[in-house]
């Protein structure tokens, strides 16, 4: 089966600032693909190019089998884009928003009413359908926004940080919605700042930094690239922290001088853990506590990019 999304050598600059510098992507049909990266790495710019909102300076891409430049109309008929903020009319009711979108997509009045009712039921919004959207919670607005994009079922859905700002319960509800969509054969292209979200939902993940893809694979593949396990050390004092950091050098995956914590890749064996402890704490007084944990996508992100995801948004 042909990939739902293909991109080769995508490049984009804004003035003198290079945002994408040759991005290659391939997304299988009927899967969830997650694009991870620090804010400003080019995630949103990539989505804007693939959804035909802007043109790349170089490279080529196809979505749902159509070229994003030469066949823009066909691409747009095949996709739905949900941005970082819900784009619904707060002065209308939920049902009115959906009926309006259905009419704009060419459905008759009776068909628009039926489709609105179906979507309200599917997204657990039936009881709120007659209320003005301005009274909705953030999670309800996000679900309504996604429902509006499904008035005519698309082949590909682009979700740009769909759960940003949602509480844990609303985020869990959105995860279930995404899982259900993929079960119907839809392809989901997801960007997110929540690494747990990518770990749970994505069949495949690419990490982008500095405008290029620096890693690609399943969540387990990426974790194995870093290490299957990590050794977390809590040092006794600043002097012990400084000495351990110097001894371990480039092997430190993450360090926090305020909390006096260090993380080191390990194979999880007793022999390797003992060797690291002997190296940084030969006198048995420098390490206050330690623990061995399975690697997470946070470890992957920190190791590959050198920084965490909690940075000020750059919207690129």
């Amino acid at each position: 089966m042909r990939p739902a999304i293909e991109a080769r050598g995508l490049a984009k600059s804004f003035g003198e600032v290079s945002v994408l510098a040759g991005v290659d992507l391939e997304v299988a049909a009927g899967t969830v693909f997650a694009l991870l990266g620090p804010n400003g790495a080019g995630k949103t710019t990539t989505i804007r190019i693939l959804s035909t909102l802007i043109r790349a300076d170089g490279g080529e891409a196809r979505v749902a089998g159509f070229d994003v430049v030469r066949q823009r109309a066909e691409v747009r008929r095949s996709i739905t884009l949900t941005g970082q903020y819900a784009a619904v009319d707060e002065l209308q009711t939920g049902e009115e928003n959906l009926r309006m979108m259905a009419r704009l997509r060419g459905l008759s009045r009776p068909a628009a009413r039926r489709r609105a009712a179906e979507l309200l039921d599917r997204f657990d919004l039936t009881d709120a359908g007659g209320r003005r959207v301005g009274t909705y919670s953030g999670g309800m607005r996000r679900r309504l926004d996604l429902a509006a994009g499904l008035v005519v079922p698309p082949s590909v859905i682009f979700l740009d940080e769909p759960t940003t700002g949602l509480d844990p319960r609303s985020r869990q509800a959105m995860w279930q919605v995404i899982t259900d969509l993929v079960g119907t054969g839809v392809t989901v292209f997801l960007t997110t700042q929540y690494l747990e979200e990518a770990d749970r939902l994505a069949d495949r993940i690419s990490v982008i930094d500095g405008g290029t893809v620096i890693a690609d694979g399943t969540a387990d593949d990426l974790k194995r690239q870093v290490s299957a396990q990590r050794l977390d050390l809590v040092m006794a004092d600043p002097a012990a922290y400084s000495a351990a950091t110097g001894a371990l050098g480039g092997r430190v995956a993450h360090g926090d001088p305020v909390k006096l914590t260090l993380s080191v890749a390990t194979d999880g064996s007793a022999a390797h853990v003992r060797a690291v402890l002997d190296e940084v704490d030969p006198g048995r007084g420098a390490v206050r506590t330690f623990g061995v944990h399975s690697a997470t996508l946070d470890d992957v992100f920190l190791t590959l990019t050198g920084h965490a995801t909690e940075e000020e948004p750059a919207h690129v």
Side-chain angles (χ1 to χ4, degrees):
M1 184 180 297
R2 184 167 191 161
I5 301 171
E6 302 171 271
R8 296 289 178 267
L10 291 184
K12 183 66 179 179
S13 296
F14 295 99
E16 297 182 355
V17 179
S18 175
V19 178
L20 301 181
V23 169
D24 297 336
L25 298 172
E26 185 172 296
V27 181
T31 64
V32 178
F33 172 84
L35 185 63
L36 302 182
N39 282 308
K43 302 187 301 296
T44 296
T45 297
T46 300
I47 279 188
R48 288 175 177 169
I49 291 171
L50 295 175
S51 59
T52 76
L53 293 180
I54 60 175
R55 289 194 179 191
D57 298 330
E60 59 183 8
R62 299 181 71 85
V63 174
F66 302 110
D67 186 277
V68 297
V69 175
R70 295 190 299 272
Q71 298 169 294
R72 292 177 67 214
E74 290 87 345
V75 170
R76 291 185 174 189
R77 283 195 290 267
S78 303
I79 69 171
T80 283
L81 169 62
T82 298
Q84 295 179 16
Y85 305 99
V88 289
D89 187 343
E90 296 188 358
L91 297 179
Q92 295 192 91
T93 67
E95 181 185 10
E96 287 169 344
N97 268 274
L98 295 179
R99 284 198 285 113
M100 176 184 68
M101 292 302 300
R103 292 288 288 153
L104 289 173
R105 294 300 299 268
L107 275 67
S108 66
R109 290 183 185 277
R113 283 195 296 271
R114 288 194 299 271
R115 186 58 175 157
E118 291 170 1
L119 290 169
L120 288 170
D121 179 64
R122 180 175 180 182
F123 286 86
D124 195 24
L125 292 169
T126 298
D127 291 342
R131 284 169 38 201
R132 197 166 51 83
V133 173
T135 67
Y136 284 17
S137 67
M140 293 168 67
R141 293 186 196 191
R142 296 298 286 172
R143 296 205 307 276
L144 180 65
D145 192 30
L146 185 53
L150 297 175
V151 166
V152 175
S155 299
V156 178
I157 297 177
F158 291 98
L159 301 177
D160 193 8
E161 301 189 14
T163 62
T164 295
L166 297 187
D167 60 76
R169 182 177 179 181
S170 296
R171 187 172 297 131
Q172 291 274 351
M174 184 62 75
W175 289 355
Q176 187 59 53
V177 167
I178 293 170
T179 300
D180 293 343
L181 285 172
V182 175
T184 67
V186 173
T187 302
V188 175
F189 187 112
L190 169 76
T191 73
T192 179
Q193 289 292 325
Y194 302 107
L195 302 183
E196 177 193 4
E197 189 163 88
D199 203 353
R200 171 167 173 167
L201 296 176
D203 298 291
R204 195 166 190 87
I205 298 168
S206 286
V207 180
I208 186 172
D209 194 29
T212 60
V213 175
I214 59 175
D216 177 78
T218 66
D220 289 340
D221 290 339
L222 296 180
K223 292 172 188 176
R224 282 192 292 268
Q225 286 185 34
V226 175
S227 176
Q229 304 282 324
R230 75 172 193 270
L231 173 62
D232 294 336
L233 306 172
V234 180
M235 307 310 295
D237 51 50
Y241 175 88
S242 180
T245 302
L248 294 170
R251 288 176 289 165
V252 176
H254 178 57
D256 187 329
V258 176
K259 296 180 180 179
L260 302 178
T261 57
L262 294 170
S263 294
V264 185
T266 176
D267 61 11
S269 68
H272 187 261
V273 171
R274 188 179 297 114
V276 174
L277 291 172
D278 288 342
E279 182 179 3
V280 301
D281 190 12
R284 303 295 193 268
V287 175
R288 181 179 300 154
T289 61
F290 71 91
V292 178
H293 306 280
S294 297
T296 66
L297 281 183
D298 296 82
D299 300 316
V300 172
F301 201 91
L302 284 165
T303 301
L304 294 177
T305 70
H307 40 77
T309 58
E310 294 81 10
E311 299 177 18
E312 288 301 314
H315 302 297
V316 295

